[in-house]
Amino acid sequence: AKATGRNCYEFFTQNLQAEVITTKRIADEILAGLENDEFTAWYQPQFCARTMELTGVEALVRWNHPNQGVLTPDRFLKIADELNVVQMFDRIVLEKALQDKMRWAARGIVVPKVSVNVSSRRLNDETLFETLTTLAIVPGEISFELIESIFLDESDTVVSHNLERIKSLGIDIEIDDFGTGHTSIVSLLKLRPKRLKIDRQLVQPILESQQERALVRSIIEIAHSLDVDTVAEGVETFEHAAMLRELGCDLLQGYAFSKPRSFEDFCTMVQAAEWR
Ligand code: C2E
Ligand code: CA
Ligand code: CA
């Protein structure tokens, strides 16, 4: 038994070492990737639940890895956060999204709104505001998705000061992943976001569970009573879409309509209007 124990221990440390080495390698690759412009934005469409018109897109970071193809954030976001470079992705994605907005316009593709994810590091980064004030932003065309923990992390005054600055530039605020973590109605009241994104963990069970359905219905009602629009995330089937419409949800986003796509694939899809 003793020998096994030691083997286990050795196995464990070996694994741990391998993990440390992998993490270090990915960290180096991230830094090189930032130098080499390997990160970009992909787009997932959002639709009006009633008319099914395209209302906008969420821009999501992707890594064009030199030998592993296109990587999703689950492969690198955590390490990037430890490296303190997540705010770089937010900056890159916003930049690409603004460029792509112009390229859509040039191709006659109407994308009314682009939402980008903003980390707390980025929100507290003074260069964000330097960038924003140089942009000509049409009110309502750009939206920042913030997860609720941001509002809990920092002192109320810093956060609300930054949020007010963002709003005053014509950028909408959305609460992301609503229904996970420390969701509270109080933060809704305080923040007065434009939109609230109902997390897919709440959205997905609505067909099977009457209770979960009632919960989503209540969230939508509360949001509406505060004049806040609702977006359902992780809408994977048309049955979900129909139910969400019935529950009064305003916007829908999910694999039922489209996965996130590269700029070119997104253009092709819109021009072919594949989701109809
Ligand atoms: P999120 O902000 O909640 O983004 C939605 C995620 O759900 C995306 O994953 C999207 O591909 C996925 N998704 C969309 N529809 C469905 C569906 O119907 N079913 C399922 N199961 N999933 C769906 P992705 O692109 O891998 O991004 C993961 C997370 O990484 C994002 O979650 C966000 O928290 C973070 N992230 C992505 N891009 C950025 C960025 O530019 N900056 C920062 N700070 N975070 C980002
Ligand atoms: Ca988001
Ligand atoms: Ca989300």
Side-chain angles (χ1 to χ4, degrees):
K2 225 175 199 169
T4 321
R6 205 178 67 208
N7 283 343
C8 271
Y9 177 73
E10 277 170 8
F11 178 71
F12 178 72
T13 44
Q14 266 171 21
N15 264 2
L16 199 67
Q17 270 169 1
E19 205 182 295
V20 170
I21 292 166
T22 310
T23 305
K24 171 80 174 80
R25 182 178 52 74
I26 297 173
D28 289 342
E29 287 179 359
I30 290 172
L31 297 175
L34 284 166
E35 287 283 311
N36 301 331
D37 198 23
E38 289 167 10
F39 294 93
T40 193
W42 279 32
Y43 301 99
Q44 187 177 33
Q46 297 176 336
F47 299 91
C48 169
R50 279 172 297 105
T51 65
M52 286 316 292
E53 272 170 315
L54 177 72
T55 54
V57 292
E58 176 174 2
L60 296 151
V61 68
R62 291 294 181 269
W63 184 0
N64 292 317
H65 192 279
N67 41 45
Q68 291 184 61
V70 178
L71 302 183
T72 49
D74 56 310
R75 297 283 297 278
F76 57 88
L77 212 57
K78 199 171 150 271
I79 297 173
D81 191 39
E82 285 159 13
L83 280 173
N84 193 6
V85 295
V86 171
Q87 66 279 24
M88 302 284 282
F89 299 146
D90 298 355
R91 188 176 59 71
I92 292 165
V93 169
L94 177 63
E95 227 164 65
K96 303 266 181 199
L98 292 170
Q99 287 165 8
D100 288 344
K101 250 173 114 275
M102 291 193 281
R103 292 162 79 201
W104 282 318
R107 294 185 190 198
I109 294 174
V110 181
V111 179
K113 175 183 72 68
V114 178
S115 304
V116 299
N117 294 283
V118 177
S119 63
S120 92
R121 290 194 200 280
R122 184 66 175 143
L123 190 66
N124 295 305
D125 175 358
E126 198 50 39
T127 67
L128 170 66
F129 295 97
E130 283 166 25
T131 311
L132 292 180
T133 44
T134 65
L135 302 172
I137 293 165
V138 179
E141 281 194 352
I142 305 287
S143 172
F144 282 0
E145 298 191 4
L146 307 167
I147 51 169
E148 246 198 331
S149 62
I150 289 183
F151 313 118
L152 304 167
D153 275 1
E154 301 294 329
S155 85
D156 269 8
T157 46
V158 174
V159 173
S160 46
H161 175 63
N162 286 345
L163 292 182
E164 285 318 312
R165 281 163 87 187
I166 289 167
K167 285 183 187 170
S168 70
L169 291 164
I171 297 170
D172 290 339
I173 301 288
E174 304 191 23
I175 298 185
D176 205 352
D177 303 346
F178 190 85
T180 63
H182 308 275
T183 297
S184 75
I185 305 296
V186 177
S187 60
L188 257 187
L189 272 169
K190 274 208 300 221
L191 296 165
R192 293 295 172 139
K194 178 80 179 170
R195 277 174 292 270
L196 177 161
K197 300 193 76 176
I198 307 171
D199 193 76
R200 66 165 181 264
Q201 284 180 48
L202 290 181
V203 168
Q204 283 172 352
I206 58 167
L207 295 180
E208 297 84 47
S209 158
Q210 205 245 312
Q211 276 176 345
E212 308 257 7
R213 190 154 65 236
L215 179 63
V216 169
R217 190 199 305 274
S218 313
I219 292 173
I220 293 168
E221 279 169 5
I222 292 169
H224 286 172
S225 71
L226 297 170
D227 212 19
V228 174
D229 284 346
T230 50
V231 186
E233 300 193 288
V235 182
E236 291 187 358
T237 71
F238 291 116
E239 288 74 28
H240 283 89
M243 178 58 76
L244 287 157
R245 187 178 310 125
E246 212 171 287
L247 297 177
C249 189
D250 303 286
L251 304 178
L252 306 175
Q253 177 182 351
Y255 294 166
F257 311 105
S258 170
K259 292 195 170 180
R261 294 172 185 239
S262 67
F263 174 82
E264 285 301 336
D265 284 351
F266 180 79
C267 291
T268 307
M269 177 188 64
V270 173
Q271 277 157 344
E274 271 171 34
W275 57 81
R276 287 188 191 181

Coordinates of all heavy atoms in Angstrom, one line a residue, residues 40-42 44 58-62 71-77 86-94 116-120 122 145 147 176-177 197 199-200 204 233-237 253-260, ligand 1:
T40 N -8.9 38.0 -32.3 CA -9.9 38.7 -33.2 C -11.2 38.5 -32.6 O -11.4 37.9 -31.5 CB -9.8 38.2 -34.6 OG1 -10.5 39.1 -35.4 CG2 -10.4 36.8 -34.8
A41 N -12.2 39.2 -33.2 CA -13.6 39.1 -32.7 C -14.4 38.2 -33.7 O -14.3 38.3 -34.9 CB -14.2 40.5 -32.7
W42 N -15.2 37.3 -33.1 CA -16.3 36.6 -33.8 C -17.6 37.1 -33.4 O -17.7 37.8 -32.3 CB -16.2 35.1 -33.6 CG -15.1 34.4 -34.4 CD1 -13.9 35.0 -34.8 CD2 -15.1 33.1 -34.9 NE1 -13.2 34.1 -35.6 CE2 -13.9 32.9 -35.6 CE3 -16.0 32.0 -34.8 CZ2 -13.6 31.7 -36.3 CZ3 -15.7 30.8 -35.5 CH2 -14.5 30.7 -36.2
Q44 N -21.9 36.7 -32.8 CA -23.1 35.9 -32.7 C -24.3 36.8 -32.8 O -24.4 37.8 -32.0 CB -23.1 35.1 -31.4 CG -24.3 34.1 -31.3 CD -24.3 33.3 -30.1 OE1 -23.9 33.7 -29.0 NE2 -24.8 32.0 -30.2
E58 N -23.3 40.0 -30.6 CA -22.3 40.0 -29.5 C -20.9 39.6 -30.1 O -20.8 38.6 -30.8 CB -22.6 39.0 -28.4 CG -21.5 39.0 -27.3 CD -21.9 38.1 -26.1 OE1 -22.9 37.4 -26.0 OE2 -21.0 38.1 -25.1
A59 N -19.9 40.4 -29.8 CA -18.6 40.2 -30.2 C -17.9 39.3 -29.2 O -17.9 39.7 -28.0 CB -17.8 41.5 -30.5
L60 N -17.2 38.2 -29.6 CA -16.6 37.3 -28.7 C -15.1 37.1 -29.1 O -14.9 36.9 -30.3 CB -17.3 36.0 -28.6 CG -18.8 36.1 -28.1 CD1 -19.7 35.1 -28.7 CD2 -18.7 36.1 -26.5
V61 N -14.2 37.1 -28.2 CA -12.8 37.0 -28.6 C -12.5 35.6 -29.1 O -13.0 34.6 -28.6 CB -11.9 37.4 -27.4 CG1 -12.0 36.4 -26.2 CG2 -10.4 37.5 -27.9
R62 N -11.7 35.5 -30.1 CA -11.2 34.2 -30.6 C -9.7 34.3 -30.9 O -9.2 35.4 -31.2 CB -11.9 33.8 -31.9 CG -13.3 33.4 -31.8 CD -13.5 32.2 -31.0 NE -14.9 31.7 -30.8 CZ -15.7 32.1 -29.8 NH1 -15.2 32.9 -28.9 NH2 -16.9 31.6 -29.7
L71 N -9.2 29.1 -31.4 CA -9.5 28.7 -30.0 C -10.5 29.6 -29.4 O -10.5 30.8 -29.6 CB -8.2 28.7 -29.2 CG -7.0 27.8 -29.7 CD1 -5.8 27.9 -28.7 CD2 -7.4 26.4 -29.9
T72 N -11.4 29.0 -28.6 CA -12.4 29.7 -27.8 C -11.8 30.1 -26.4 O -10.8 29.6 -26.0 CB -13.7 28.9 -27.6 OG1 -13.3 27.6 -27.1 CG2 -14.4 28.7 -28.9
P73 N -12.5 31.1 -25.8 CA -11.9 31.7 -24.5 C -11.7 30.7 -23.4 O -10.8 30.9 -22.6 CB -13.0 32.7 -24.1 CG -13.7 33.0 -25.3 CD -13.6 31.8 -26.2
D74 N -12.4 29.6 -23.4 CA -12.2 28.6 -22.3 C -10.8 28.0 -22.3 O -10.3 27.5 -21.3 CB -13.2 27.4 -22.4 CG -13.2 26.7 -23.8 OD1 -13.3 27.4 -24.8 OD2 -13.1 25.5 -23.8
R75 N -10.1 28.2 -23.5 CA -8.7 27.6 -23.6 C -7.7 28.6 -23.1 O -6.5 28.3 -22.9 CB -8.4 27.3 -25.1 CG -9.3 26.2 -25.6 CD -8.8 24.8 -25.1 NE -7.5 24.5 -25.6 CZ -7.2 24.0 -26.8 NH1 -8.1 23.8 -27.7 NH2 -5.9 23.7 -27.1
F76 N -8.0 29.9 -22.9 CA -7.0 30.9 -22.6 C -7.4 32.0 -21.7 O -6.5 32.7 -21.2 CB -6.4 31.5 -23.9 CG -7.4 32.1 -24.8 CD1 -7.7 33.5 -24.7 CD2 -8.0 31.4 -25.8 CE1 -8.6 34.1 -25.5 CE2 -9.0 32.1 -26.7 CZ -9.3 33.4 -26.5
L77 N -8.7 32.2 -21.4 CA -9.1 33.4 -20.7 C -8.6 33.4 -19.2 O -8.2 34.4 -18.7 CB -10.6 33.5 -20.7 CG -11.2 34.9 -20.7 CD1 -10.7 35.7 -21.9 CD2 -12.7 34.9 -20.8
V86 N -6.3 40.3 -19.7 CA -7.7 40.2 -20.3 C -8.2 41.5 -20.9 O -8.9 41.5 -21.9 CB -8.7 39.7 -19.1 CG1 -10.1 39.8 -19.6 CG2 -8.3 38.3 -18.7
Q87 N -7.8 42.6 -20.2 CA -8.2 43.9 -20.7 C -7.7 44.2 -22.1 O -8.3 44.9 -22.9 CB -7.8 45.0 -19.7 CG -6.3 45.3 -19.6 CD -5.7 44.3 -18.6 OE1 -6.1 43.2 -18.4 NE2 -4.6 44.7 -18.0
M88 N -6.6 43.5 -22.5 CA -6.1 43.6 -23.9 C -7.1 43.0 -24.9 O -7.3 43.6 -26.0 CB -4.8 42.9 -24.0 CG -3.7 43.4 -23.1 SD -3.0 44.9 -23.7 CE -2.0 44.3 -25.0
F89 N -7.7 41.9 -24.5 CA -8.7 41.3 -25.4 C -9.9 42.2 -25.6 O -10.4 42.4 -26.7 CB -9.2 39.9 -24.8 CG -8.1 38.9 -24.7 CD1 -8.2 38.0 -23.6 CD2 -7.1 38.8 -25.6 CE1 -7.2 37.0 -23.5 CE2 -6.1 37.8 -25.4 CZ -6.2 36.9 -24.4
D90 N -10.3 42.8 -24.4 CA -11.5 43.7 -24.5 C -11.2 44.8 -25.5 O -12.0 45.2 -26.2 CB -11.8 44.2 -23.1 CG -12.2 43.1 -22.1 OD1 -12.3 42.0 -22.5 OD2 -12.4 43.4 -20.9
R91 N -10.0 45.3 -25.4 CA -9.6 46.5 -26.2 C -9.5 46.0 -27.7 O -10.1 46.7 -28.6 CB -8.2 47.0 -25.8 CG -7.7 48.2 -26.5 CD -6.4 48.8 -26.0 NE -5.3 47.8 -26.1 CZ -4.8 47.5 -27.3 NH1 -5.2 48.0 -28.4 NH2 -3.8 46.6 -27.3
I92 N -8.9 44.9 -27.9 CA -8.8 44.3 -29.3 C -10.2 44.1 -29.9 O -10.5 44.5 -31.0 CB -8.0 43.0 -29.3 CG1 -6.5 43.4 -29.0 CG2 -8.1 42.3 -30.7 CD1 -5.7 42.1 -28.6
V93 N -11.1 43.4 -29.1 CA -12.4 43.1 -29.6 C -13.2 44.4 -29.9 O -13.8 44.4 -31.0 CB -13.1 42.2 -28.6 CG1 -14.6 42.0 -29.0 CG2 -12.5 40.8 -28.6
L94 N -13.1 45.4 -29.1 CA -13.8 46.6 -29.4 C -13.3 47.3 -30.6 O -14.1 47.7 -31.5 CB -13.7 47.6 -28.2 CG -14.3 49.0 -28.4 CD1 -15.8 48.9 -28.6 CD2 -14.0 49.9 -27.2
V116 N -20.0 44.3 -26.7 CA -18.7 43.7 -26.3 C -18.6 43.4 -24.8 O -19.3 44.1 -24.1 CB -17.5 44.6 -26.7 CG1 -17.5 44.9 -28.2 CG2 -17.5 45.9 -26.0
N117 N -17.8 42.4 -24.5 CA -17.7 42.0 -23.1 C -16.6 42.9 -22.5 O -15.5 43.1 -23.1 CB -17.3 40.6 -22.9 CG -18.4 39.7 -23.4 OD1 -19.4 39.5 -22.7 ND2 -18.3 39.1 -24.6
V118 N -16.9 43.4 -21.3 CA -15.9 44.3 -20.6 C -15.6 43.7 -19.3 O -16.4 43.6 -18.4 CB -16.4 45.8 -20.5 CG1 -15.5 46.6 -19.8 CG2 -16.7 46.3 -21.9
S119 N -14.3 43.4 -19.0 CA -13.8 42.9 -17.8 C -13.7 44.0 -16.8 O -13.6 45.2 -17.1 CB -12.5 42.1 -18.0 OG -11.5 43.0 -18.4
S120 N -13.6 43.6 -15.5 CA -13.4 44.7 -14.5 C -12.1 45.4 -14.6 O -12.0 46.6 -14.4 CB -13.6 44.1 -13.1 OG -12.4 43.7 -12.5
R122 N -10.7 46.1 -17.4 CA -10.8 47.1 -18.5 C -11.7 48.3 -18.0 O -11.4 49.4 -18.4 CB -11.5 46.4 -19.7 CG -11.7 47.3 -20.9 CD -10.4 47.6 -21.5 NE -10.5 48.3 -22.8 CZ -9.7 49.3 -23.2 NH1 -8.7 49.7 -22.4 NH2 -9.8 49.9 -24.3
E145 N -21.2 44.7 -22.1 CA -21.7 43.6 -21.3 C -20.8 43.5 -20.1 O -19.6 43.2 -20.2 CB -21.8 42.3 -22.0 CG -22.7 42.4 -23.2 CD -23.0 41.0 -23.9 OE1 -22.5 40.0 -23.3 OE2 -23.7 41.0 -24.9
I147 N -20.3 41.6 -16.2 CA -20.9 40.6 -15.3 C -21.0 41.3 -13.9 O -20.3 42.2 -13.6 CB -20.0 39.3 -15.2 CG1 -18.5 39.7 -14.9 CG2 -20.1 38.5 -16.4 CD1 -17.7 38.5 -14.5
D176 N -24.5 41.0 -17.8 CA -24.3 39.7 -18.4 C -24.6 38.6 -17.4 O -24.5 38.8 -16.2 CB -22.9 39.6 -18.9 CG -22.7 38.6 -20.1 OD1 -23.6 37.9 -20.4 OD2 -21.6 38.6 -20.6
D177 N -24.9 37.4 -17.9 CA -25.0 36.2 -17.0 C -26.0 36.4 -15.8 O -25.7 35.9 -14.8 CB -23.6 35.8 -16.5 CG -22.6 35.5 -17.6 OD1 -23.0 35.3 -18.8 OD2 -21.4 35.4 -17.3
K197 N -29.1 40.3 -19.5 CA -29.0 39.0 -20.3 C -29.2 37.8 -19.3 O -28.5 37.7 -18.3 CB -27.6 38.9 -20.9 CG -27.3 40.0 -21.9 CD -26.1 39.7 -22.7 CE -26.3 38.7 -23.8 NZ -25.2 38.5 -24.7
D199 N -29.0 34.3 -18.1 CA -28.0 33.3 -18.3 C -28.6 32.0 -18.8 O -29.7 31.6 -18.5 CB -27.2 33.0 -17.0 CG -26.0 32.1 -17.3 OD1 -25.0 32.7 -17.7 OD2 -26.0 30.9 -17.0
R200 N -27.8 31.3 -19.6 CA -28.4 30.1 -20.3 C -28.7 29.0 -19.3 O -29.6 28.2 -19.6 CB -27.4 29.6 -21.4 CG -26.1 29.0 -20.9 CD -25.5 28.2 -22.0 NE -24.2 27.7 -21.6 CZ -23.0 28.3 -21.9 NH1 -23.0 29.4 -22.5 NH2 -21.9 27.7 -21.5
Q204 N -32.2 27.3 -20.3 CA -32.3 26.0 -20.9 C -33.4 25.1 -20.2 O -34.1 24.4 -21.0 CB -30.9 25.3 -20.9 CG -30.2 26.0 -22.1 CD -28.7 25.6 -22.2 OE1 -28.2 25.0 -21.3 NE2 -28.1 26.0 -23.3
E233 N -30.0 34.1 -23.3 CA -28.8 33.5 -23.8 C -28.9 32.0 -23.9 O -29.7 31.4 -23.2 CB -27.6 33.8 -22.8 CG -27.3 35.2 -22.6 CD -25.9 35.2 -21.8 OE1 -25.8 34.9 -20.7 OE2 -25.0 35.7 -22.5
G234 N -28.2 31.4 -24.8 CA -28.2 29.9 -24.8 C -29.5 29.4 -25.3 O -30.0 28.3 -24.9
V235 N -30.1 30.1 -26.3 CA -31.4 29.6 -26.9 C -31.0 28.5 -27.9 O -30.5 28.9 -29.0 CB -32.2 30.7 -27.5 CG1 -33.5 30.2 -28.1 CG2 -32.4 31.9 -26.5
E236 N -31.2 27.3 -27.6 CA -30.6 26.2 -28.4 C -31.7 25.6 -29.4 O -31.3 24.9 -30.3 CB -30.0 25.1 -27.6 CG -28.7 25.6 -27.0 CD -27.8 24.6 -26.3 OE1 -28.3 23.4 -26.2 OE2 -26.8 24.9 -25.8
T237 N -33.0 25.8 -29.1 CA -34.0 25.2 -29.9 C -35.1 26.3 -30.2 O -35.3 27.2 -29.5 CB -34.7 24.0 -29.3 OG1 -35.5 24.5 -28.2 CG2 -33.7 23.0 -28.8
Q253 N -30.7 35.0 -28.3 CA -29.3 34.7 -28.8 C -29.0 33.2 -28.5 O -29.2 32.8 -27.4 CB -28.3 35.6 -28.1 CG -26.9 35.4 -28.4 CD -25.9 36.3 -27.6 OE1 -26.4 37.2 -26.9 NE2 -24.7 36.0 -27.7
G254 N -28.5 32.5 -29.5 CA -28.2 31.1 -29.2 C -28.0 30.3 -30.4 O -28.2 30.7 -31.6
Y255 N -27.6 29.0 -30.2 CA -27.2 28.1 -31.3 C -28.4 27.8 -32.2 O -28.2 27.4 -33.3 CB -26.6 26.8 -30.7 CG -25.3 26.9 -30.0 CD1 -24.8 25.9 -29.2 CD2 -24.5 28.1 -30.1 CE1 -23.6 26.0 -28.6 CE2 -23.3 28.2 -29.5 CZ -22.9 27.1 -28.7 OH -21.7 27.2 -28.1
A256 N -29.7 28.0 -31.7 CA -30.8 27.8 -32.5 C -30.7 28.6 -33.8 O -31.2 28.2 -34.8 CB -32.1 28.1 -31.8
F257 N -30.2 29.8 -33.7 CA -30.1 30.7 -34.8 C -28.7 30.7 -35.4 O -28.6 30.5 -36.6 CB -30.4 32.1 -34.3 CG -31.7 32.2 -33.5 CD1 -31.6 32.3 -32.2 CD2 -32.9 32.0 -34.2 CE1 -32.8 32.3 -31.4 CE2 -34.1 32.0 -33.4 CZ -34.0 32.1 -32.1
S258 N -27.7 30.8 -34.6 CA -26.3 30.7 -35.1 C -25.3 30.6 -34.0 O -25.5 31.2 -32.9 CB -26.0 32.0 -35.9 OG -24.6 32.1 -36.2
K259 N -24.2 29.9 -34.2 CA -23.1 30.0 -33.3 C -22.3 31.3 -33.7 O -22.6 31.9 -34.7 CB -22.2 28.8 -33.6 CG -22.8 27.5 -33.2 CD -21.8 26.3 -33.1 CE -22.5 25.2 -32.4 NZ -21.6 24.0 -32.3
P260 N -21.4 31.6 -32.8 CA -20.5 32.8 -33.2 C -19.8 32.5 -34.5 O -19.4 31.3 -34.7 CB -19.6 32.9 -32.0 CG -20.2 32.2 -30.9 CD -21.0 31.1 -31.5
Ligands
C2E1 P1 -20.6 35.0 -22.4 O1 -20.3 36.5 -22.4 O2 -21.7 34.5 -21.6 O3 -20.8 34.6 -24.0 C1 -21.7 33.7 -24.4 C2 -21.0 32.3 -24.6 O4 -22.0 31.3 -24.8 C3 -20.1 32.3 -25.8 O5 -19.0 31.4 -25.6 C4 -21.0 31.6 -26.9 O6 -20.4 30.9 -27.9 C5 -21.8 30.7 -26.0 N1 -23.1 30.3 -26.6 C6 -23.9 31.1 -27.4 N2 -25.0 30.5 -27.7 C7 -25.1 29.3 -27.0 C8 -26.0 28.2 -27.0 O7 -27.1 28.2 -27.6 N3 -25.6 27.2 -26.2 C9 -24.4 27.1 -25.5 N4 -24.2 26.1 -24.8 N5 -23.5 28.1 -25.6 C10 -23.8 29.2 -26.3 P2 -17.5 31.8 -25.8 O8 -17.4 32.6 -27.1 O9 -16.7 30.5 -25.7 O10 -17.2 32.8 -24.6 C11 -17.2 32.3 -23.3 C12 -17.0 33.4 -22.3 O11 -15.8 34.0 -22.5 C13 -18.1 34.5 -22.5 O12 -19.3 34.2 -22.0 C14 -17.4 35.7 -21.8 O13 -17.6 35.6 -20.4 C15 -15.9 35.4 -22.1 N6 -15.5 36.3 -23.2 C16 -15.6 36.1 -24.6 N7 -15.1 37.1 -25.3 C17 -14.6 38.0 -24.3 C18 -14.0 39.3 -24.4 O14 -13.7 39.8 -25.5 N8 -13.6 39.9 -23.3 C19 -13.9 39.3 -22.1 N9 -13.5 40.0 -20.9 N10 -14.5 38.1 -21.9 C20 -14.9 37.5 -23.1

